[in-house]
Amino acid sequence: MAKRGSYAKGVAKREEILTRALEVIAREGFRGASVREIADAVGLSQAGLLHYFGSKEQLFVEILRKRDEIDAGRFEPGDMELAEMREGYLRVIRHNSEVPGVVELFSRLAVEASDATHPAHEYFLQRSALIRQLFTETVRKAQEDGRMSDRVDAEILARLFQAASDGMQLQWLLDPDVDMAATVDALFQLLAPVPVQADAAG
Amino acid sequence: MAKRGSYAKGVAKREEILTRALEVIAREGFRGASVREIADAVGLSQAGLLHYFGSKEQLFVEILRKRDEIDAGRFEPGDMELAEMREGYLRVIRHNSEVPGVVELFSRLAVEASDATHPAHEYFLQRSALIRQLFTETVRKAQEDGRMSDRVDAEILARLFQAASDGMQLQWLLDPDVDMAATVDALFQLLAPVPVQADAAG
DNA sequence: GTCTATATTGAGATAGAC
DNA sequence: GTCTATCTCAATATAGAC
């Protein structure tokens, strides 16, 4: 038996805390929230919360992992075609524009975790690589079938998509009127195969 | 007389401090440097440094403004054509990859300044708008002349360029092997007008 | 204008009771 | 497992001497 009752219960509680923390950050924003504030919000003392996560940074990483887990459900399961990838990605981005606090937490941590000794460094490296891998595969297939421009290598395009969405988050945090999803979608449009036009020569 | 000697000297000293601070951050990185560390680096006490800038955030904004001032010199003067814009932009990006500390300072502050009450909020709004305006104008002219794809509106393209470069900074901070300039240049390539091909119909 | 010294604050971490 | 209380540290900001 790998799990005794109490252990399983501890895990369940952890999950519950993360879900509630995510809700609270989504609803009330982040603004550099302290462990104390999150503890209040989820109905624990600061020490009580840290009992589960050890440190502030570990708590934040786990919150972001929980978010990823939920976002994964916004994609179609299974092997991805370009159209589904586009739909799923835009769905996630549209959802993000409902939860500025989560976007802020993500962006902050992304910068801080650039230090190789930061507890979130591995998380960002792996997440980043995974997303690019999914994009690269989907884009490459689409390029082979002529459903996407092949002027630029698939791996570079994957990086550009990721950069566009991360960068749009910064623009949107600064000015919430910006339409993140529409702007990222413009990049998809740019990559649609060139329609054959009678006057293509100008 | 708007300036007495002592006032002009104060200004000169400020400039000198900013230039040195920028050099130090470029050379030694940022890593959330404290006012104290920057003060040491420029040869002043912490209080001495704050005497000139009032607060930490104001100091950081001024450092970034000084950086912008220097970067402006990396562009050709005068009205910009697409090719010069591209050259200048890539030149700035290539320079950035020599100064990770400056990129980190910029990225950190960009997130923190999303709060409208943050002392750097206005700076980022204005800088952001200015860059987009330059891009929009240049792109629009290029689109009118057929030197750039007009599948996507110039303002949206301007946002995409900005997002791509900001987003690539995040990727590069996490993994310095990434080639920021080459990736952003790929976006320029994508936008070059479509060459007329014999087999355009596939 | 610059320094030393100190006030103040804020936060995360930890000890120990229950 | 959870709380209260406390420790510790880091950092900015400020007062006041020179």
Side-chain angles (χ1 to χ4, degrees):
Chain A
M1 282 305 181
K3 293 183 183 178
R4 281 170 302 150
S6 62
Y7 176 70
K9 203 177 161 200
V11 169
K13 177 88 188 195
R14 256 177 78 106
E15 295 302 301
E16 190 203 314
I17 292 172
L18 292 173
T19 303
R20 297 211 46 194
L22 201 49
E23 284 167 8
V24 169
I25 292 172
R27 198 172 57 245
E28 300 178 18
F30 179 66
R31 303 262 148 260
S34 61
V35 172
R36 174 67 204 277
E37 285 171 289
I38 296 175
D40 286 353
V42 304
L44 275 178
S45 69
Q46 189 236 29
L49 180 55
L50 282 189
H51 168 72
Y52 286 96
F53 299 98
S55 79
K56 177 196 188 172
E57 270 86 12
Q58 286 170 51
L59 166 63
F60 287 160
V61 178
E62 293 308 316
I63 292 176
L64 290 179
R65 276 192 214 280
K66 169 62 76 177
R67 191 268 289 253
D68 290 341
E69 190 187 316
I70 295 169
D71 277 354
R74 296 194 162 88
F75 282 86
E76 308 292 325
D79 219 27
M80 204 102 58
E81 287 301 322
L82 181 62
E84 288 85 50
M85 185 80 178
R86 179 174 176 169
E87 276 308 302
Y89 206 58
L90 295 178
R91 196 148 42 221
V92 168
I93 293 174
R94 278 187 217 106
H95 171 71
N96 281 344
S97 58
E98 308 290 317
V99 292
V102 178
V103 172
E104 193 192 342
L105 169 60
F106 176 87
S107 302
R108 262 180 201 253
L109 219 56
V111 180
E112 283 163 22
S114 65
D115 186 330
T117 67
H118 191 285
H121 189 72
E122 275 304 308
Y123 163 76
F124 277 100
L125 275 180
Q126 286 173 15
R127 179 183 189 279
S128 198
L130 176 64
I131 291 175
R132 280 202 309 277
Q133 189 194 323
L134 291 174
F135 256 103
T136 303
E137 287 169 9
T138 305
V139 163
R140 186 161 288 144
K141 267 185 291 181
Q143 286 177 327
E144 284 167 3
D145 298 358
R147 282 171 295 125
M148 183 173 256
S149 158
D150 60 357
R151 304 177 104 183
V152 168
D153 178 76
E155 297 208 14
I156 304 280
L157 281 184
R159 282 205 183 275
L160 271 180
F161 271 107
Q162 194 175 19
S165 44
D166 290 348
M168 284 313 300
Q169 289 190 342
L170 296 182
Q171 285 182 44
W172 173 76
L173 284 173
L174 198 63
D175 174 8
D177 290 339
V178 173
D179 189 335
M180 288 193 283
T183 311
V184 172
D185 196 36
L187 186 53
F188 280 100
Q189 288 162 34
L190 277 173
L191 290 166
V194 182
V196 181
Q197 298 174 319
D199 58 346
Chain B
M1 282 301 183
K3 293 182 184 181
R4 281 171 300 152
S6 60
Y7 176 70
K9 201 176 162 203
V11 170
K13 177 88 188 195
R14 257 177 76 104
E15 294 301 302
E16 189 203 316
I17 291 171
L18 291 174
T19 302
R20 299 212 44 195
L22 201 49
E23 285 167 7
V24 168
I25 292 172
R27 196 172 60 244
E28 300 178 17
F30 178 66
R31 304 261 146 259
S34 61
V35 173
R36 174 68 204 277
E37 285 171 290
I38 296 175
D40 287 353
V42 304
L44 276 178
S45 69
Q46 190 239 25
L49 180 55
L50 281 189
H51 168 73
Y52 287 96
F53 298 97
S55 79
K56 177 195 185 174
E57 270 84 12
Q58 286 169 52
L59 166 63
F60 287 159
V61 178
E62 294 308 316
I63 291 175
L64 289 179
R65 277 194 213 280
K66 171 59 78 177
R67 191 269 289 252
D68 290 342
E69 189 187 317
I70 295 169
D71 277 354
R74 297 193 161 87
F75 282 84
E76 307 293 325
D79 219 27
M80 203 104 55
E81 286 301 324
L82 182 62
E84 288 84 49
M85 186 78 177
R86 178 175 177 168
E87 276 308 303
Y89 206 58
L90 295 178
R91 197 149 42 222
V92 168
I93 293 173
R94 278 186 217 106
H95 171 70
N96 281 343
S97 58
E98 308 290 317
V99 292
V102 179
V103 173
E104 194 192 341
L105 169 60
F106 176 87
S107 302
R108 263 182 201 252
L109 219 57
V111 180
E112 283 162 22
S114 65
D115 186 329
T117 67
H118 191 285
H121 188 73
E122 274 305 307
Y123 163 75
F124 277 100
L125 275 181
Q126 286 173 15
R127 179 184 190 277
S128 198
L130 176 64
I131 291 176
R132 279 203 309 277
Q133 189 195 325
L134 291 175
F135 257 103
T136 302
E137 288 169 7
T138 305
V139 163
R140 185 162 287 145
K141 266 186 290 181
Q143 286 178 327
E144 284 166 2
D145 298 357
R147 282 172 295 123
M148 184 174 255
S149 159
D150 61 358
R151 304 177 105 185
V152 168
D153 178 77
E155 296 208 14
I156 303 279
L157 281 184
R159 282 204 184 277
L160 272 180
F161 271 107
Q162 194 175 19
S165 45
D166 291 348
M168 284 313 300
Q169 288 188 343
L170 296 182
Q171 285 182 42
W172 174 75
L173 285 172
L174 197 63
D175 173 10
D177 289 340
V178 173
D179 189 335
M180 289 193 283
T183 312
V184 172
D185 195 37
L187 186 54
F188 280 100
Q189 288 163 35
L190 277 173
L191 290 166
V194 182
V196 180
Q197 297 174 321
D199 57 347

